[in-house]
């Protein structure tokens, strides 16, 4: 099976071995502080959306033809770049892939042959768009904007483009690193909300969850072609209607599973799980994968809470054995709640395996689904053992285990199985992308949840590990973790740029896992605390249509 390399990577990199122990737990009991679910499922199931009707897709196709004429009618290179940027930000890239490709290639040719002086803003915008669309763009394109002594353009548009483009850097591009630092300084001088901006650059955000904001901005500014804006609104509503249909299916599944009544210690976050899944793959055609991912994410939350909060060390050791053997008999002596967790995981993975085989063909993928769950649970067991022994690992040891406990490899396998039945073998570069995106997930999670987890008495996070290891303050530790996140993005960009076009189409969804980690944990614990920014995002993206 194509995915053997990917599912085995967690096993090969996780070398710590655990031995069963019957020692009495030495740490105090941890208590769940999670609030009950806020969503009214009956209300969500009752949502109706007129944009699911076929006539709206027909209307969108007609608008697409009208908007497509804008490419031929736009002759200025700067205007062409702005058109492509607008199409991307309004969520319409899939409609105009061919037009965008032809236009960017013409602009590349123009840049090679033109002897006219460069427009600084246009150059910065062109650099970002070329890299975003997979074209080679040397950092030397920007050397005229920066003389090595901190001299950067001070206008806001150019500084913003330089800042955003610098986050598409790969490891070793020192010029882009310098540009990132000095463009940040310029933006600060312009009194922008730099702290929010620098922690949330465009390259780290989920594009689909920015679309509505860009539509509203375009409406208010009145500087966007009316046909383009009309298509963007219609497309958003059509895709949202598809998401609502998928969400209803996931809610019905969750109700049928009927396990939360017996699991008072855990998080009921099926809506947030689906929100996360949409961020990974928002396109209308990926409905099956979205539903698989939403189910998996909710199960990840439950099982994580079993290891972190509910289970004794002996419980989670036995639970890990049961997962490894994939045998319900192995949990018969454990608390009823843990038996229910195992049953839900076992049955759901069996069902997903059957669905994947029916849709994609080929042999059963169940052995590979089981293996990534084994790797995940073993990583959670390492952390539980650290906690119960009162051990704070080094940051290196923590991350060696933590990239797997992040659930990144687990999610990535479901993404890949949901997108292709091709014999990939997942080349080494793909494995590296999974590793670095998983690191980002782990570290973003820690940045958003460490304070609450420390109060609750959970295992040490990367922040606590570094504070303990280096005897530094929390602020210093957080700054160090941020540097690792930045470096992991540079590594991810490097390996992504080396992939073939077909592999990029798959792995961009894996990278979206890391982007969703930024979304969920930018302002705290987006899973633990529902009635904050996450709730607002769910409402505007999944519930409320654009009028």
């Amino acid at each position: 099976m194509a995915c053997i390399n990917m599912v085995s990577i967690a096993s090969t990199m996780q070398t710590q071995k655990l031995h069963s122990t019957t020692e009495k737990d030495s740490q105090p009991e941890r208590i769940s502080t999670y609030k009950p679910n806020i969503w009214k499922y009956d209300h969500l199931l009752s949502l109706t959306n007129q944009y699911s009707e076929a006539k709206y897709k027909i209307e969108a196709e007609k608008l697409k033809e009208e908007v497509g004429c804008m490419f031929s009618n736009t002759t200025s290179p700067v205007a062409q770049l702005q058109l492509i940027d607008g199409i991307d930000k309004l969520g319409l890239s899939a409609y105009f892939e061919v037009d965008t490709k032809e236009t960017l290639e013409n602009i590349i040719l123009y840049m090679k042959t033109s002897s006219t002086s460069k427009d600084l803003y246009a150059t910065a915008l062109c650099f970002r768009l070329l890299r975003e669309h997979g074209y080679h763009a040397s950092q030397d394109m920007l050397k005229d904007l920066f003389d090595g002594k901190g001299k950067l353009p001070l206008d806001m548009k150019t500084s913003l483009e330089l800042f955003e483009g610098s986050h598409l850097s790969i490891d070793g591009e020192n010029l882009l690193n310098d540009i990132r630092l000095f463009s940040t300084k310029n933006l600060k001088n312009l009194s922008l909300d730099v702290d929010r901006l620098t922690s949330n650059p465009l390259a780290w955000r989920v594009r689909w969850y920015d679309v509505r904001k860009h539509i509203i901005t375009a409406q208010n500014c009145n500087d966007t072609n009316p046909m383009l804006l009309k298509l963007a609104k219609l497309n958003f509503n059509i895709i949202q209607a598809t998401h609502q249909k998928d969400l209803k299916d996931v809610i019905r599944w969750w109700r049928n599973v009927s396990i939360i009544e017996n699991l008072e210690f855990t998080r009921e976050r099926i809506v947030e799980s689906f929100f996360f899944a949409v961020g990974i793959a928002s396109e209308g055609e990926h409905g099956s994968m979205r539903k698989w991912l939403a189910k998996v994410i909710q199960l990840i939350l439950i099982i994580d809470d079993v290891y972190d909060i509910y289970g004794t060390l002996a419980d989670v050791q036995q639970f890990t054995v049961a997962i490894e053997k994939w045998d319900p008999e192995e949990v018969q002596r454990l608390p009823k709640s843990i038996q229910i967790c195992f049953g839900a995981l076992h049955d759901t993975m069996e069902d997903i395996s059957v669905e994947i085989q029916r849709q994609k063909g080929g042999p059963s993928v169940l052995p590979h689904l089981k293996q990534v769950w084994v790797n995940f649970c073993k990583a959670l067991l390492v952390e539980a053992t650290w906690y119960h022994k009162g051990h704070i690992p080094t940051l290196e040891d923590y991350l060696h285990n933590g990239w797997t406990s992040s659930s990144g490899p687990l999610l990535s396998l479901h993404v890949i199985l949901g997108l292709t039945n091709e014999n990939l073998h997942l080349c080494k570069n793909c494995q590296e992308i999974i590793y670095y995106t998983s690191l980002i997930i782990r570290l973003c999670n820690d940045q958003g949840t460490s304070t609450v987890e420390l109060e609750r008495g959970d295992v040490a996070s990367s922040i606590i590990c570094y504070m303990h290891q280096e005897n530094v303050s929390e602020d210093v530790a957080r700054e160090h973790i941020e540097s690792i996140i930045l470096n992991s993005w540079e590594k991810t960009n490097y390996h992504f740029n080396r992939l073939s076009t077909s592999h990029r189409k798959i792995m961009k969804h894996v990278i979206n896992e890391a982007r969703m980690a930024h979304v969920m944990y930018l302002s705290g614990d987006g899973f633990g605390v529902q009635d904050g920014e996450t709730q607002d995002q769910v409402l505007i993206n999944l519930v409320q249509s654009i009028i």
Side-chain angles (χ1 to χ4, degrees):
M1 174 64 193
C3 299
I4 290 177
N5 284 348
M6 200 279 286
V7 297
S8 65
I9 188 173
S11 295
T12 58
M13 295 191 70
Q14 182 178 319
T15 57
Q16 290 128 319
K17 297 184 181 294
L18 298 170
H19 299 281
S20 178
T21 177
T22 57
E23 69 181 51
K24 184 178 179 180
D25 296 342
S26 59
Q27 296 294 334
E29 180 182 359
R30 289 172 285 184
I31 300 173
S32 173
T33 57
Y34 297 123
K35 294 181 179 180
N37 169 54
I38 65 172
W39 299 104
K40 306 300 181 185
Y41 296 145
D42 287 338
H43 170 68
L44 295 175
L45 290 170
S46 70
L47 292 174
T48 57
N49 196 315
Q50 63 182 0
Y51 293 98
S52 61
E53 298 175 17
K55 66 179 182 179
Y56 291 104
K57 292 185 178 180
I58 296 173
E59 182 181 352
E61 285 298 320
K62 292 179 180 178
L63 284 169
K64 173 188 172 183
E65 294 179 9
E66 295 183 42
V67 172
C69 296
M70 295 176 64
F71 281 91
S72 57
N73 295 335
T74 305
T75 56
S76 161
V78 178
Q80 289 175 335
L81 290 168
Q82 290 174 324
L83 174 61
I84 293 170
D85 188 35
I87 284 171
D88 289 349
K89 288 178 177 176
L90 292 172
L92 300 173
S93 301
Y95 282 106
F96 303 106
E97 287 182 353
V98 174
D99 299 290
T100 296
K101 182 175 185 294
E102 290 178 353
T103 302
L104 285 175
E105 290 176 354
N106 288 335
I107 288 174
I108 292 171
L109 181 62
Y110 170 82
M111 290 172 59
K112 290 179 179 179
T113 58
S114 174
S115 59
T116 59
S117 59
K118 290 184 178 180
D119 180 316
L120 301 183
Y121 162 71
T123 302
L125 174 60
C126 185
F127 173 81
R128 175 172 68 80
L129 289 176
L130 288 176
R131 286 216 169 182
E132 285 179 351
H133 286 269
Y135 292 93
H136 172 71
S138 170
Q139 64 174 347
D140 291 342
M141 276 182 65
L142 304 177
K143 64 183 179 181
D144 289 343
L145 308 181
F146 182 63
D147 64 4
K149 300 178 182 178
K151 182 180 179 181
L152 284 170
L154 294 178
D155 64 285
M156 184 176 67
K157 286 204 311 181
T158 306
S159 293
L160 274 172
E161 288 303 332
L162 288 172
F163 172 81
E164 299 293 6
S166 70
H167 283 83
L168 296 168
S169 65
I170 62 177
D171 196 28
E173 289 187 318
N174 295 328
L175 176 61
L176 287 180
N177 289 334
D178 290 340
I179 286 175
R180 186 185 69 256
L181 294 173
F182 284 101
S183 60
T184 301
K185 181 180 178 180
N186 275 359
L187 292 171
K188 186 175 183 180
N189 292 337
L190 292 165
S191 300
L192 294 183
D193 185 358
V194 176
D195 290 338
R196 178 80 176 186
L197 180 66
T198 54
S199 62
N200 196 31
L202 190 62
W204 299 1
R205 301 206 299 268
V206 172
R207 279 299 184 94
W208 180 250
Y209 287 148
D210 277 349
V211 167
R212 187 177 186 127
K213 178 188 70 176
H214 288 302
I215 290 174
I216 300 303
T217 300
Q219 282 182 314
N220 294 336
C221 294
N222 295 318
D223 60 353
T224 302
N225 181 285
M227 289 296 101
L228 179 60
L229 184 57
K230 186 176 180 180
L231 177 59
K233 291 165 65 176
L234 184 58
N235 181 66
F236 179 89
N237 289 338
I238 289 171
I239 292 179
Q240 186 189 71
T242 301
H243 293 165
Q244 287 180 4
K245 179 178 177 294
D246 295 340
L247 175 59
K248 291 176 184 179
D249 289 342
V250 170
I251 289 173
R252 292 188 189 102
W253 165 81
W254 179 240
R255 280 185 159 179
N256 289 335
V257 172
S258 299
I259 63 174
I260 199 64
E261 295 84 356
N262 299 291
L263 305 177
E264 295 180 356
F265 62 88
T266 194
R267 292 162 283 182
E268 182 178 4
R269 300 294 186 264
I270 193 64
V271 174
E272 288 75 14
S273 296
F274 181 76
F275 174 72
F276 198 109
V278 171
I280 294 174
S282 62
E283 298 84 352
E285 65 268 25
H286 296 321
S288 293
M289 182 174 69
R290 272 192 295 276
K291 289 183 276 190
W292 298 336
L293 285 170
K295 296 172 185 179
V296 167
I297 293 165
Q298 176 61 78
L299 291 171
I300 287 170
L301 296 176
I302 292 173
I303 291 172
D304 184 62
D305 289 341
V306 168
Y307 281 84
D308 274 0
I309 298 172
Y310 182 73
T312 65
L313 183 55
D315 287 342
V316 294
Q317 285 173 337
Q318 186 58 40
F319 185 79
T320 308
V321 171
I323 296 293
E324 195 162 14
K325 293 184 177 180
W326 207 245
D327 184 0
E329 293 297 322
E330 294 290 338
V331 295
Q332 291 305 307
R333 294 183 180 179
L334 294 178
K336 188 67 175 177
S337 295
I338 297 182
Q339 294 183 40
I340 292 170
C341 291
F342 180 87
L345 173 62
H346 181 277
D347 294 348
T348 302
M349 289 303 103
E350 298 271 353
D351 291 344
I352 289 176
S353 172
V354 170
E355 290 180 28
I356 291 174
Q357 190 172 19
R358 176 174 55 81
Q359 292 187 20
K360 303 294 182 180
S364 172
V365 298
L366 184 60
H368 310 296
L369 295 178
K370 289 194 294 186
Q371 187 59 55
V372 287
W373 278 103
V374 169
N375 295 339
F376 175 64
C377 289
K378 283 185 173 180
L380 294 183
L381 181 55
V382 170
E383 294 176 352
T385 303
W386 285 338
Y387 169 78
H388 286 285
K389 291 184 176 180
H391 173 63
I392 299 178
T394 64
L395 180 61
E396 180 181 5
D397 287 345
Y398 175 84
L399 294 181
H400 185 74
N401 181 74
W403 77 275
T404 306
S405 71
S406 75
S407 76
L410 199 165
L411 294 175
S412 297
L413 176 63
H414 287 82
V415 168
I416 292 164
L417 293 177
L419 290 173
T420 183
N421 54 5
E422 177 187 350
N423 188 19
L424 288 178
H425 289 297
L426 288 169
C427 61
K428 182 179 179 180
N429 284 346
C430 290
Q431 293 179 346
E432 294 288 346
I433 289 173
I434 292 167
Y435 171 70
Y436 285 111
T437 55
S438 298
L439 265 189
I440 294 167
I441 295 169
R442 175 75 277 153
L443 295 173
C444 287
N445 184 316
D446 288 353
Q447 291 274 44
T449 65
S450 62
T451 300
V452 174
E453 289 181 344
L454 185 61
E455 292 173 355
R456 191 169 59 230
D458 282 1
V459 67
S461 69
S462 56
I463 296 168
I464 301 301
C465 290
Y466 192 74
M467 290 172 64
H468 182 263
Q469 175 182 317
E470 301 295 332
N471 192 27
V472 295
S473 68
E474 181 178 349
D475 287 343
V476 171
R478 285 184 177 274
E479 185 175 345
H480 181 71
I481 298 305
E482 287 167 4
S483 71
I484 300 177
I485 292 173
L486 178 62
N487 179 258
S488 296
W489 272 112
E490 291 178 342
K491 299 284 190 183
T492 299
N493 293 338
Y494 170 77
H495 291 290
F496 184 74
N497 288 336
R498 292 168 60 89
L499 296 179
S500 65
T501 301
S502 61
H503 285 189
R504 284 184 187 183
K505 289 182 178 180
I506 297 169
M507 298 309 291
K508 71 177 184 179
H509 297 289
V510 170
I511 295 173
N512 275 344
E513 298 167 22
R515 295 189 175 109
M516 274 309 301
H518 282 287
V519 171
M520 296 302 292
Y521 299 111
L522 180 64
S523 301
D525 185 355
F527 277 114
V529 181
Q530 290 180 294
D531 54 351
E533 191 165 321
T534 306
Q535 181 185 22
D536 296 337
Q537 288 292 313
V538 168
L539 288 172
I540 64 174
N541 287 293
L542 300 181
V543 178
Q544 301 165 353
S545 298
I546 298 180
I547 300 175

